[in-house]
């Protein structure tokens, strides 16, 4: 009786501590929003332009382009998830930022309940969401589509496990619906997951002779029907792109097999885990996962029934390893946003590892998890202390991009045209900030990429290592503008420059290059 009371008090203290750590990291995650800041890099800014496209068109069948797969696109799911916040906030990026927090907390608590229900380990569930938030707290003010897939990987594995355990078809259908949603969000992750899943599912169906369950595979085309509709309307562009990729006849030069394998092994044992700023420490954790899996497999061979958490551990580790194995089919570098959605798997493996039956293993997992939680929390607190000093200090800051657009509109012109130059050609950050301010100033008539009597050029500075990528030739050959500005202002600290021009009839008659107006051409 005394031992039971002691264990209860001990568990209560641990859960209370985990809740406090969760709350601390949540406060850190939302802090930038209170001072009007979100990350605003190219992919996020592009999404804001696509949100605007959805508001105008209502129905959009594709999302942003998929890098590494020419002519292919992600699905529109991530865009539609953000649209309610975009509409409520009238395009305000900070409201979208709050939307990201709401989505994150919602999916974390859904995952927590799934872990509690399926594994029946409430401690492991709380530990997972605390560890997850601790590691990703500084990411939450800058989400884009791969993060949506990141949120779904563990729910997918848990529901698939429940199907394998119960043989109830509805759980197979639900798990494949989740996987279909992951295809929308990040096909580079969901593709290997689909292949890995099919091996398990087909084996299970053959073993149990439950061939009627094969119809649940229709969940994949059902959830990705927007791709089919887009293909039918656009001469099977996506199918052709996929076939070209499979045949290996793309314009991209493939890496040799040895380089591809080494790249996958390096990421799998380091950046894919990323608990420590050390390759060797992350590699040791991978070895720990591998040794744990071997011990559990040997236990199975000795005809010892595995506990639920042990089975889930093996299934999760299987998806982690096979993702990198099947990613070899892509003969290019494995970019960060390709493997980002799998980074929840090591977090989950650590959390489940603390509930293993083997006491020595369990102790190692508890010690490791404690170190990771406390070191990441201390790191997050230090970043939080420096938050005010880091706001608006680079071009991927909403605060900075907002300052550029606000400076233009504060000139109080009733009507003006503008052009944006950026060395990366896309200029999505400045386009999105200008687009927002156009809505904020409805009485100002603005012409996008058109010359007017008052015309502004917004100019991003060239990279320090490529000074020749300046705007001079663009201004003369694309905008067809040779005169000097009547007003000029540089926006510190990045060095974007705004130039204001007064154009006469002769200036206006000289046409601009029509190819310059690529507002969202590349998606």
């Amino acid at each position: 009786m005394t031992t039971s009371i002691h264990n209860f008090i001990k568990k209560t203290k641990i859960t209370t501590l985990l809740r406090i750590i969760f709350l601390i990291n949540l406060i850190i995650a939302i802090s930038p929003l209170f001072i009007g800041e979100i990350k605003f890099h190219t992919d996020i800014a592009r999404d804001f332009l696509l949100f605007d496209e959805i508001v105008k068109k209502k129905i959009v069948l594709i999302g942003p382009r998929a890098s590494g797969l020419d002519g292919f696109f992600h699905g529109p799911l991530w865009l539609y998830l953000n649209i309610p916040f975009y509409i409520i906030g009238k395009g305000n990026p900070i409201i979208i930022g709050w939307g990201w927090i709401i989505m994150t907390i919602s999916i974390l608590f859904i995952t927590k309940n799934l872990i509690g229900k399926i594994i029946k380990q409430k401690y492991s569930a709380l530990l997972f969401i605390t560890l997850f938030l601790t590691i990703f707290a500084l990411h939450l003010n800058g989400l884009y589509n791969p993060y949506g897939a990141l949120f779904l990987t563990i729910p997918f594995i848990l529901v698939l496990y429940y199907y394998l355990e119960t043989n109830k078809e509805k759980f197979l259908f639900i798990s494949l619906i989740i996987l279909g949603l992951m295809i929308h969000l990040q096909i580079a992750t969901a593709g290997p997951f689909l292949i890995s899943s099919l091996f398990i599912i087909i084996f299970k169906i053959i073993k149990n002779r439950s061939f009627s369950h094969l119809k649940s595979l229709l969940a994949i085309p059902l959830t990705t029907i927007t791709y089919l509709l887009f293909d039918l309307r656009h001469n099977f562009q996506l199918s052709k792109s996929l076939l070209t990729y499979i045949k290996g006849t793309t314009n991209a030069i493939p890496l040799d097999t040895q380089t591809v394998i080494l790249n996958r092994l390096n990421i799998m044992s380091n950046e894919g885990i990323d608990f420590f700023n050390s390759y060797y420490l992350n590699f040791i954790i991978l070895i720990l996962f591998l040794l744990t899996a071997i011990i559990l497999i040997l236990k199975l061979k000795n005809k010892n029934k595995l506990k639920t958490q042990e089975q889930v551990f093996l299934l999760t580790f299987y998806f982690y390893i096979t993702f990198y194995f099947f990613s070899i089919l892509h003969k290019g570098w494995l970019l960060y946003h390709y493997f980002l959605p799998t980074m929840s798997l090591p977090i989950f493996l650590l959390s489940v590892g603390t509930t293993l039956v083997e006491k020595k293993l369990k102790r190692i997992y508890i010690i490791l998890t404690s170190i990771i939680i406390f070191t990441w929390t201390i790191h997050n607190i230090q970043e939080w202390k420096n938050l005010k000093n880091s706001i608006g200090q680079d071009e991927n800051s909403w605060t900075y991009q907002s300052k550029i657009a606000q400076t233009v509109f504060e000139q109080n012109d009733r009507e003006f045209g503008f052009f944006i130059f950026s060395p990366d050609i896309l200029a999505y950050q400045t386009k999105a900030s200008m687009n927002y301010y156009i809505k904020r100033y409805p009485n100002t008539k603005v012409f996008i990429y058109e010359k007017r009597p008052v015309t502004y050029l917004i100019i991003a500075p060239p990279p320090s290592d490529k000074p020749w990528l300046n705007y001079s030739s663009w201004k003369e050959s694309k905008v067809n503008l040779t005169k000097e500005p009547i007003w000029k202002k540089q926006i510190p600290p990045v060095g974007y420059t705004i130039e204001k021009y007064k154009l006469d009839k002769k200036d206006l008659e000289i046409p601009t290059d029509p190819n310059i107006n690529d507002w969202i051409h590349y998606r």
Side-chain angles (χ1 to χ4, degrees):
M1 182 72 176
T2 307
T3 306
S4 299
I5 293 171
H6 176 74
N7 288 336
F8 174 75
I9 293 170
K10 187 178 178 182
K11 277 189 175 181
T12 303
K13 285 181 178 178
I14 291 170
T15 53
T16 302
L17 180 61
L18 286 174
R19 289 187 179 116
I20 291 170
I21 292 170
F22 183 90
L23 185 60
I24 288 169
N25 284 286
L26 179 59
I27 291 169
I28 291 169
I30 65 177
S31 292
L33 298 173
F34 284 111
I35 50 179
E37 179 68 304
I38 65 166
K39 292 171 186 171
F40 212 61
H41 58 67
T42 296
D43 289 333
I44 293 173
R46 171 211 59 208
D47 286 349
F48 275 80
L49 296 173
L50 293 176
F51 298 154
D52 198 51
E53 182 182 65
I54 287 178
V55 169
K56 290 173 182 174
K57 293 183 177 179
K58 310 303 179 189
I59 296 175
V60 172
L61 299 175
I62 56 169
R65 62 192 172 95
S67 60
L69 195 54
D70 290 340
F72 205 85
F73 300 88
H74 297 293
L77 176 62
W78 177 253
L79 304 177
Y80 278 104
L81 287 172
N82 284 270
I83 278 296
F85 304 104
Y86 185 80
I87 293 171
I88 291 167
K90 298 179 181 178
N92 188 335
I94 304 307
I95 303 301
I96 295 285
W98 282 109
W100 295 336
I101 297 295
I102 291 168
M103 284 191 278
T104 302
I105 299 305
S106 299
I107 196 65
L108 281 181
F109 277 95
I110 289 169
T111 307
K112 176 178 177 287
N113 290 333
L114 277 173
I115 296 170
K117 182 177 180 180
I118 294 171
I119 303 182
K120 295 179 173 58
Q121 293 285 344
K122 290 184 178 180
Y123 165 76
S124 183
L126 178 59
L127 181 60
F128 170 74
I129 67 167
T130 302
L131 189 54
F132 183 96
L133 186 63
T134 301
I135 289 172
F136 285 102
L138 300 178
H139 293 237
L140 299 188
N141 73 324
L143 301 188
Y144 59 116
N145 56 290
Y147 285 95
L150 171 74
F151 297 146
L152 293 179
T153 49
I154 300 307
F156 162 70
I157 289 171
L158 287 168
V159 178
L160 179 62
Y161 165 76
Y162 207 55
Y163 163 70
L164 298 173
E165 182 68 14
T166 63
N167 201 39
K168 292 181 179 178
E169 187 184 1
K170 67 178 179 180
F171 295 112
L172 173 60
F173 185 77
I174 294 169
S175 69
L176 292 175
I177 287 286
I178 297 171
L179 185 56
L181 299 180
M182 287 174 63
I183 290 172
H184 268 266
L185 297 162
Q186 182 51 280
I187 193 168
T189 308
F193 267 53
L194 177 59
I195 299 170
S196 300
S197 303
L198 288 175
F199 279 106
I200 298 176
I201 292 164
I202 291 171
F203 175 79
K204 177 73 173 178
I205 287 172
I206 293 172
K207 183 183 177 183
N208 293 342
R209 296 187 175 279
S210 49
F211 297 107
S212 63
H213 290 190
L214 285 170
K215 66 180 180 292
S216 289
L217 294 175
L218 292 171
I220 298 296
L222 180 66
T223 48
T224 56
I225 195 168
T226 57
Y227 286 112
L228 175 61
L229 295 174
F230 182 85
D231 251 11
L232 291 172
R233 292 184 62 185
H234 295 85
N235 196 28
F236 297 97
Q237 176 187 328
L238 302 179
S239 299
K240 289 174 182 176
S241 172
L242 203 55
L243 284 171
T244 301
Y245 178 78
I246 293 168
K247 289 177 183 176
T249 54
T250 60
N251 295 326
I253 300 172
L255 300 174
D256 62 87
T257 303
Q258 183 182 349
T259 302
V260 170
I261 292 172
L262 289 174
N263 173 248
R264 302 313 189 258
L265 288 173
N266 180 62
I267 293 172
M268 181 176 70
S269 57
N270 188 22
E271 294 111 306
I273 294 174
D274 205 32
F275 290 136
F276 297 104
N277 191 24
S278 162
Y279 172 83
Y280 298 104
L281 290 176
N282 290 324
F283 181 71
I284 287 169
I285 290 177
L286 178 63
I287 296 300
L288 174 63
F289 292 157
L290 180 60
L291 288 174
T292 305
I294 291 169
I295 290 168
L296 295 177
I297 290 167
L298 291 174
K299 191 175 175 181
L300 262 179
K301 281 194 171 183
N302 293 330
K303 297 183 179 179
N304 293 318
K305 184 172 173 59
L306 296 181
K307 298 285 186 182
T308 301
Q309 62 265 39
E310 294 173 326
Q311 295 177 50
V312 170
F313 184 99
L314 279 179
L315 184 63
T316 306
F317 188 66
Y318 164 79
F319 274 103
Y320 187 72
I321 296 297
T322 56
F323 165 76
Y324 288 99
F325 178 77
F326 289 120
S327 73
I328 292 171
L329 295 171
H330 170 59
K331 300 300 181 183
W333 300 106
L334 198 63
L335 302 179
Y336 176 74
H337 50 273
Y338 294 175
F339 67 84
L340 168 63
T342 69
M343 292 177 73
S344 59
L345 303 189
I347 296 172
F348 190 53
L349 288 170
L350 269 185
S351 306
V352 175
T354 62
T355 65
L356 294 173
V357 177
E358 303 290 335
K359 288 187 177 179
K360 287 182 180 178
L361 274 178
K362 182 177 179 178
R363 194 173 292 117
I364 292 170
Y365 276 99
I366 290 171
I367 292 168
L368 263 176
T369 305
S370 302
I371 292 170
I372 291 166
I373 285 178
F374 284 109
T375 52
W376 272 90
T377 300
I378 290 167
H379 166 73
N380 292 344
I381 290 170
Q382 288 171 341
E383 290 293 318
W384 176 73
K385 287 179 179 177
N386 295 325
L387 180 62
K388 286 187 177 180
N389 296 328
S390 64
I391 295 298
Q393 295 302 301
D394 64 74
E395 66 179 343
N396 296 323
S397 153
W398 163 248
T399 304
Y400 183 76
Q401 292 294 338
S402 174
K403 190 191 298 183
I404 294 168
Q406 187 174 356
T407 302
V408 172
F409 278 86
E410 282 177 350
Q411 301 310 302
N412 295 321
D413 300 294
R414 290 184 179 180
E415 176 184 305
F416 67 86
F418 73 92
F419 298 84
I420 303 168
F421 169 81
S422 175
D424 74 353
I425 302 174
L426 303 174
Y428 286 154
Q429 296 103 311
T430 312
K431 286 176 180 176
S433 63
M434 286 295 289
N435 196 47
Y436 173 61
Y437 272 83
I438 288 169
K439 292 179 178 63
R440 284 191 63 183
Y441 288 80
N443 295 327
T444 302
K445 201 169 184 180
V446 182
F447 296 84
I448 299 170
Y449 283 33
E450 285 186 35
K451 286 181 183 176
R452 309 304 293 179
V454 174
T455 297
Y456 289 93
L457 301 188
I458 302 171
I459 304 146
S464 57
D465 59 334
K466 297 175 182 176
W468 61 88
L469 290 177
N470 59 56
Y471 78 109
S472 300
S473 61
W474 169 84
K475 174 186 169 182
E476 293 175 9
S477 63
K478 301 294 184 181
V479 184
N480 284 326
L481 194 59
T482 55
K483 63 167 41 180
E484 292 300 309
I486 63 165
W487 176 83
K488 186 175 182 178
K489 183 173 183 178
Q490 192 174 75
I491 310 296
V494 180
Y496 273 64
T497 302
I498 302 169
E499 294 182 350
K500 183 176 182 178
Y501 294 82
K502 285 279 189 182
L503 304 184
D504 55 29
K505 187 178 179 183
K506 186 178 178 182
D507 297 319
L508 295 172
E509 286 174 350
I510 302 172
T512 58
D513 184 336
N515 296 317
I516 202 172
N517 192 2
D518 58 348
W519 193 245
I520 191 66
H521 178 71
Y522 296 104
R523 297 189 75 82

